[in-house]
Amino acid sequence: MRRLLVTASVLLALAGSLAARPAEPPPLPERLADTGGGTQLITAEAPGTGSTTGTVTWWDRRGGGWVAAGSAPARFGANGLAEGATREQGTNTTPTGLYGLPYAFGTGQAPEGARYPYRRIGEDSWWCQDNASTAYNRWVEPRPADCRAEESEHLVDYATQYARALVIGFNYHRPVRGRGAGIFLHVDGKGATAGCVSVPAAAMDRILAWADPARRPHIAVGTESGPTAIVRY
């Protein structure tokens, strides 16, 4: 009888210990307000708005839930992150929010197995950031007369960063002048970005080999908490 009582006490203690453990939080995509409606998602999360580093994770939706397919350290704008809806051009901040990923591009060939629409950078490839241009926030080739070179990016000049990249659809479909242009997910340079999100080259290749336009991937960018918390988007 005593042995039974001891065994019962041990089992009760174990049950109490297990009950006291906090439940694991659901995967990050399940806590977001919106994931874009597809079955692939990239999250880019920073500790706070002043952060220049954080984490990029890419996710698959399987069996009604989200599963991480990969993760990598990320870099953000030199001045941190800012709410995408009110961000100002030239502030070196990464815009927070949920965005589509229109197409990929790079200085070299697309990685083996890549399915995303891919544009190859050439000598005449520019990203127009001139607020006065009709081509504002668009790839142009060649650069039109109303898009000043000093207000644009000559893409071939950024061979390291743009070896591989995905266009982030920030301010893209209905561009607001002065909000910002040329926001990408690209390969790391020497440090923080001018407003993009960057990851190591190997991670960028893995993301492009994983991304499937038929699965409508989006990217959510935000902070761990506060008004720009990633879970708000």
Side-chain angles (χ1 to χ4, degrees):
M1 175 66 96
R2 183 177 178 185
R3 181 178 295 175
L4 289 174
L5 289 172
V6 170
T7 302
S9 299
V10 170
L11 290 173
L12 286 171
L14 286 171
S17 176
L18 290 172
R21 291 180 184 176
E24 287 289 326
L28 181 56
E30 294 182 17
R31 291 179 273 139
L32 266 59
D34 189 6
T35 58
T39 59
Q40 287 188 328
L41 179 72
I42 299 171
T43 56
E45 188 178 28
T49 53
S51 304
T52 59
T53 60
T55 304
V56 158
T57 306
W58 47 106
W59 306 81
D60 288 307
R61 187 163 181 80
R62 299 176 187 161
W66 289 94
V67 178
S71 185
R75 294 175 180 172
F76 298 97
N79 288 323
L81 296 85
E83 171 60 54
T86 55
R87 178 187 182 269
E88 295 181 4
Q89 185 164 329
T91 55
N92 288 341
T93 53
T94 297
T96 60
L98 177 71
Y99 306 106
L101 298 161
Y103 60 90
F105 67 92
T107 56
Q109 297 284 356
E112 185 177 352
R115 289 157 288 185
Y116 233 76
Y118 188 88
R119 297 190 72 168
R120 185 86 177 265
I121 292 173
E123 285 295 330
D124 288 334
S125 304
W126 294 74
W127 196 274
C128 185
Q129 299 180 358
D130 190 336
N131 280 281
S133 174
T134 56
Y136 177 66
N137 202 20
R138 287 292 184 274
W139 177 302
V140 289
E141 193 172 318
R143 181 176 52 83
D146 73 342
C147 181
R148 293 169 291 173
E150 63 271 21
E151 295 293 329
S152 302
E153 275 194 350
H154 191 204
L155 299 177
V156 77
D157 292 343
Y158 300 90
T160 297
Q161 295 92 326
Y162 298 159
R164 304 274 195 273
L166 270 167
V167 176
I168 294 177
F170 165 73
N171 200 32
Y172 187 77
H173 295 291
R174 293 183 179 88
V176 175
R177 311 288 166 156
R179 183 64 47 78
I183 301 298
F184 313 126
L185 173 62
H186 64 68
V187 174
D188 284 340
K190 292 181 179 179
T193 73
C196 296
V197 180
S198 74
V199 292
M204 194 68 232
D205 280 353
R206 289 174 62 198
I207 290 169
L208 285 181
W210 159 87
D212 182 353
R215 297 178 63 188
R216 296 178 294 156
H218 287 67
I219 184 168
V221 184
T223 54
E224 291 177 2
S225 61
T228 55
I230 196 169
V231 295
R232 291 183 56 242
Y233 302 111

